[in-house]
Amino acid sequence: MILIIGGAGQGKLDYVLQKTGYGPAQVARTPEEARTRPVFAGLEDWPELDEAALLEANPDVILICDEVGCGVVPVDPAARLMREQTGRLCQQLAKQAQKVVRLYCGIPTVIKE
């Protein structure tokens, strides 16, 4: 599994599609689709994801997640909880990933390989 992280609008999906040759039809947007497709974009929308089940079904998936831990802490308790859960999920995934790449302004930085 590969984890791609970075802020919104930093070119994460474009980077993955360009590097892999996959097309938009091969990009999952839900955990169910991610069990069979090679790329899962929008991980931050699923902070309670069962990563063990996903990785068992699709161990070579490329996961793309917006960074949500930077900036102003939300006032709304539900938004703070989502931010916390997403951060914890990314920590678990980064531990298991063969590679972690962070994109900033479209420039990739490998932080684990």
Side-chain angles (χ1 to χ4, degrees):
M1 177 259 297
I2 297 172
L3 178 62
I4 309 292
I5 60 170
Q10 297 299 313
K12 298 177 296 295
L13 182 57
D14 289 341
Y15 169 79
V16 169
L17 296 180
Q18 184 179 48
K19 283 290 195 187
T20 63
Y22 295 135
Q26 294 165 305
V27 177
R29 299 289 179 173
T30 67
E32 294 77 27
E33 292 174 346
R35 293 171 159 269
T36 58
R37 295 187 187 173
V39 179
F40 180 19
L43 185 64
E44 68 280 356
D45 294 331
W46 306 94
E48 296 178 7
L49 176 76
D50 180 357
E51 75 268 11
L54 172 60
L55 296 177
E56 183 178 324
N58 191 356
D60 296 325
V61 67
I62 300 170
L63 301 170
I64 300 173
C65 186
D66 282 352
E67 291 180 3
V68 295
C70 299
V72 178
V73 176
V75 174
D76 177 44
R80 283 197 310 269
L81 178 61
M82 184 278 305
R83 181 175 160 150
E84 178 73 22
Q85 289 173 321
T86 302
R88 291 189 187 280
L89 174 62
C90 283
Q91 288 178 40
Q92 292 302 316
L93 292 169
K95 288 178 189 176
Q96 299 173 62
Q98 292 94 9
K99 185 175 187 177
V100 179
V101 179
R102 180 175 188 260
L103 265 84
Y104 183 74
C105 295
I107 300 170
T109 302
V110 177
I111 56 178
K112 179 183 177 182
E113 188 158 32

